[in-house]
Amino acid sequence: MTRWIALPVLLAVTLAAPVSAQVPAPLPVTVIKAGRLIDPETGTAAVNQVIVIEGERFKAIGANLPIPPGATVIDLSKLTVLPGLVDAHTHMGMTYKEQPENNYYYLTYVTDSTPLRAIQAASNGMQLLNAGFTVVRDVGNNALYVDAALRQAIEQGWLPGPTVIPSGPMIGSTGGQFWPTPEMYKQHNIMFPEYIDANSPDEIVRAVRENMLFGARTIKLCIDCKPWGYSVDDIRLAIREAATGGCKVEGHVQTAAGAQRAIDAGIYIIAHGNALTPEHHRQMAEKGIFLAGTDTPFTAYRATEAAFKRAVDNLRDAWEKKVPLTFSTDFDYWNERMKDAKTGRWLTRGELTIEFLRTWKTAGIPAADTLRAMTINGYKAADIIADRGPIKPGFFADLIAVPGDPLADVDALRTVVFVMKNGMVFKRDGVMAPADFFHPGPVRMPNGRWTR
Ligand SMILES: [Zn+2]
């Protein structure tokens, strides 16, 4: 009953409030002096640029711009400034291990709870941002929507992190990537939340809608994880349904036949390059289908020499055929060998991610093309390029800085010493300083709802 009385009183007070009380505070202005500013689209750099940032967005960029009074000035005149990097296919909320799982992620799913995996994802997100990754497509194997929760938490301002493009659980035909026993499948419902089984058109539509309802910004399909995978019509249906919620579709592909069905259906991104032939690359280039090849380098902690050679050859052929390439890792594992050989210190998730540059260098991809894959193509694959990624007026103010020149040697990206996200400084002089990101509440999205 009290609400019946309180609401009109509240309304009356709100309506009677003077207009002057509602004038918003002025936005903080930051000016960055950039020694060199790279435009990855053209593969060129301009010297001595001034970047003016108002609140969360870029306001103006150019040489000799006046510095607005009261602005905070950040001097990066000895550094190369560029847009943030993108990992177009990773898994921040899944960490399978050699002990006790023997790298078997079924067991990770049984032993690591959704809350634990959410905290792992938050840590991984900060480590990736520290290495210059301002956008991450996180595509499946995320327990009960860990990826979507992380995106929401970062959007609300609870913690710093990259812009997360979550897919929610991967959608597949019966069994997904699992081969469960009948009792685990039928009596214990083990597929969900790691996968959503969707077989008929009605089930596919429902699965796509549920993921979008729970925060997905892209839809991930398992095209051919089972011999009874998706047909061209199934994939087209998922693409149509995803479009109603503003999502593009990525297909996990592991067979040549599956790759062909995904291409024929006009999918947006194909994940994993292993099964793709030169003819697939030719068709992908023709149709503008992005490749997230997940090109794992051979290291002390991962892969084999033979697998690395295949990854290098596949990436090289895709580049020669002019497939739109993205930088992608499929990172979701950990072991005791992930240490710096000289210091014995643990490698961070950011360092492990940037190590994938090794595949690109070995394949002989020019630095400018690698950088374009890590930025412009990544923003397009993440479907955010309308307002985030490039350093342009009106866009969200994300940028990084390095001492070297990534257009001359892409390994310069291994030393990111400055990171700005949404106009706020996350890393400065090579040290994380995220204090300003922490708040007691959802300060950037106070109504607590999705921003879709
Ligand atoms: Zn993956």
Side-chain angles (χ1 to χ4, degrees), residues 89-91 139 141 170 220 252 272 294 330 332:
H89 181 123
T90 195
H91 304 278
V139 280
N141 296 114
M170 204 192 301
K220 171 96 175 281
H252 164 107
H272 314 304
T294 62
D330 206 17
D332 52 9

Side-chain angles (χ1 to χ4, degrees), residues 57 65 117 119 150 157 180 206 282 298 321 341 410-411 450:
R57 293 176 187 259
L65 291 182
R117 290 171 66 177
I119 294 167
L150 181 60
R206 172 181 282 275
R282 190 193 64 72
F298 176 43
K321 301 281 192 311
V410 78
D411 276 335
W450 299 111

Side-chain angles (χ1 to χ4, degrees), residues 135-173:
V135 179
V136 170
R137 296 186 69 258
D138 197 313
V139 280
N141 296 114
N142 260 306
L144 202 54
Y145 296 90
V146 155
D147 49 347
L150 181 60
R151 178 190 169 102
Q152 193 175 23
I154 292 167
E155 267 198 1
Q156 292 188 349
W158 283 107
L159 79 170
T163 295
V164 180
I165 310 299
S167 71
M170 204 192 301
I171 299 168
S173 50

Side-chain angles (χ1 to χ4, degrees), residues 82-105:
L82 66 155
L85 308 177
V86 184
D87 185 341
H89 181 123
T90 195
H91 304 278
M92 292 187 285
M94 158 70 87
T95 312
Y96 60 84
K97 305 166 279 294
E98 290 177 350
Q99 298 290 337
E101 300 106 304
N102 193 25
N103 284 335
Y104 230 51
Y105 69 92

Side-chain angles (χ1 to χ4, degrees), residues 98-363:
E98 290 177 350
Q99 298 290 337
E101 300 106 304
N102 193 25
N103 284 335
Y104 230 51
Y105 69 92
Y106 289 26
L107 290 180
T108 309
Y109 168 44
V110 171
T111 58
D112 287 7
S113 66
T114 288
L116 176 61
R117 290 171 66 177
I119 294 167
Q120 293 172 17
S123 173
N124 283 329
M126 270 193 263
Q127 294 175 60
L128 283 163
L129 187 58
N130 185 45
F133 289 88
T134 54
V135 179
V136 170
R137 296 186 69 258
D138 197 313
V139 280
N141 296 114
N142 260 306
L144 202 54
Y145 296 90
V146 155
D147 49 347
L150 181 60
R151 178 190 169 102
Q152 193 175 23
I154 292 167
E155 267 198 1
Q156 292 188 349
W158 283 107
L159 79 170
T163 295
V164 180
I165 310 299
S167 71
M170 204 192 301
I171 299 168
S173 50
T174 299
Q177 291 183 291
F178 283 170
W179 291 93
T181 59
E183 57 272 34
M184 291 311 291
Y185 184 87
K186 294 183 79 80
Q187 292 167 7
H188 297 285
N189 196 23
I190 194 158
M191 296 306 299
F192 189 80
E194 213 59 24
Y195 298 91
I196 301 179
D197 273 347
N199 290 286
S200 65
D202 283 356
E203 287 176 356
I204 291 170
V205 167
R206 172 181 282 275
V208 169
R209 288 180 185 178
E210 281 186 1
N211 274 353
M212 296 193 297
L213 177 66
F214 300 140
R217 293 302 180 106
T218 184
I219 295 297
K220 171 96 175 281
L221 294 184
C222 209
I223 301 293
D224 53 3
C225 295
K226 292 288 181 286
W228 47 88
Y230 287 139
S231 67
V232 174
D233 283 346
D234 291 335
I235 302 166
R236 283 196 179 129
L237 174 63
I239 293 169
R240 272 204 309 279
E241 196 55 38
T244 65
C247 289
K248 301 284 201 293
V249 176
E250 169 173 321
H252 164 107
V253 158
Q254 60 191 51
T255 65
Q260 190 59 57
R261 296 200 299 277
I263 292 168
D264 289 345
I267 207 156
Y268 194 63
I269 308 176
I270 287 183
H272 314 304
N274 296 346
L276 301 177
T277 64
E279 171 57 16
H280 290 137
H281 288 156
R282 190 193 64 72
Q283 294 176 45
M284 287 171 72
E286 194 178 282
K287 289 191 161 190
I289 297 172
F290 290 98
L291 173 62
T294 62
D295 321 284
T296 308
F298 176 43
T299 58
Y301 50 83
R302 195 69 180 173
T304 62
E305 209 146 9
F308 181 52
K309 188 179 179 316
R310 272 200 309 280
V312 165
D313 291 347
N314 289 344
L315 182 61
R316 174 81 195 181
D317 187 73
W319 174 77
E320 284 175 358
K321 301 281 192 311
K322 298 190 165 43
V323 176
L325 300 178
T326 64
F327 182 86
S328 60
T329 63
D330 206 17
F331 221 98
D332 52 9
Y333 42 88
W334 173 86
N335 61 54
E336 304 267 356
R337 298 180 301 287
M338 290 175 173
K339 288 184 174 172
D340 185 302
K342 287 188 200 116
T343 63
R345 183 181 61 79
W346 288 113
L347 297 169
T348 70
R349 174 64 175 261
E351 289 168 321
L352 293 161
T353 295
I354 203 75
E355 181 64 23
F356 280 63
L357 279 178
R358 188 196 292 219
T359 313
W360 292 71
K361 286 192 79 165
T362 308

